[in-house]
Amino acid sequence: MPNTSQPVRRTALLASAVALLGLLTACGDENATSSGTPQPGETTRTTSAEPGTDTATGTATTAPAVGATPSDTAGSASSSARTDGRCHTSELRASVGRVDPGAGQRNFPVVLTNTSDRTCTVYGYPGAAFVDASGRQVGPDPERGPGSPETVTLAPGRSAWAGLSFSSPEISGARTATPAALLVTPPDEREPLKVEWTAGAVPVGGNASSVSVTALDAGTGP
């Protein structure tokens, strides 16, 4: 009887080797597919980010409104220079101009100058009072002269003036005093500005002793 054990054994070993090779090939295909590399015949899928989505983080973002400018977006602020409002005492400087004598009168321009960096306004009559070295008022408050007040707009460095007038004491015979300073209070303010008075005696009592002041006008004098 022929001996067939050797051929049968070779056939079994060959079959086992073929089966093992197939298993290794299958594993290699699976690893290639799971690595993310497209295989022949496989369609690559891409995802487009929706408007308003951060493609890096996937979080939603807010787009600016149509027609918005950088100054309109949140977190920004627009500013404009302050260009209106009453001039305050702290924003003004007071001075007294040269005497303008005439017809027995002594006339002085009292000037208010805007020393701030904004534009402001003055309207009406300034307050005025002569005071001695101790700060005590000398003579009555000046009277308001006739006129129609108008708003005066003062840009930085610009001035307005009012006329301070009284009769010459030498002619009127009024009782006099020599003040140390003139206190000038801007319209609608409470704090005065102090100006040294160097123009001599002023009437403080008796006949023709009144002092008058006019409404503010643009400029530094007539």
Side-chain angles (χ1 to χ4, degrees):
M1 183 174 182
N3 186 1
T4 61
S5 60
Q6 291 298 329
V8 171
R9 187 177 293 112
R10 287 195 193 96
T11 302
L13 290 173
L14 181 59
S16 298
V18 171
L20 180 59
L21 181 60
L23 180 60
L24 291 174
T25 302
C27 291
D29 291 343
E30 181 180 354
N31 290 337
T33 303
S34 63
S35 67
T37 303
Q39 298 301 312
E42 181 180 355
T43 302
T44 302
R45 183 180 179 186
T46 59
T47 303
S48 299
E50 294 295 328
T53 302
D54 189 327
T55 56
T57 63
T59 58
T61 61
T62 302
V66 175
T69 64
S71 62
D72 295 327
T73 56
S76 66
S78 59
S79 62
S80 58
R82 184 180 173 188
T83 57
D84 59 356
R86 181 176 85 244
C87 295
H88 300 290
T89 300
S90 60
E91 299 173 304
L92 299 169
R93 179 182 70 247
S95 60
V96 177
R98 279 196 211 174
V99 62
D100 178 23
Q105 289 286 114
R106 303 189 73 188
N107 308 299
F108 299 87
V110 177
V111 182
L112 293 176
T113 301
N114 181 5
T115 59
S116 73
D117 58 359
R118 74 178 185 101
T119 296
C120 57
T121 61
V122 290
Y123 173 83
Y125 295 82
F130 292 110
V131 294
D132 61 18
S134 65
R136 184 178 57 186
Q137 184 167 338
V138 176
D141 292 336
E143 301 174 354
R144 290 185 175 185
S148 300
E150 294 183 359
T151 298
V152 181
T153 300
L154 299 182
R158 307 301 289 181
S159 302
W161 72 282
L164 182 72
S165 302
F166 53 85
S167 297
S168 298
E170 297 84 356
I171 297 175
S172 68
R175 183 166 53 88
T176 64
T178 301
L182 175 68
L183 300 184
V184 181
T185 306
D188 300 315
E189 292 291 299
R190 293 185 177 182
E191 294 298 321
L193 296 163
K194 188 175 183 179
V195 183
E196 182 182 4
W197 183 260
T198 59
V202 299
V204 294
N207 295 332
S209 61
S210 64
V211 178
S212 65
V213 63
T214 64
L216 287 163
D217 198 1
T220 59

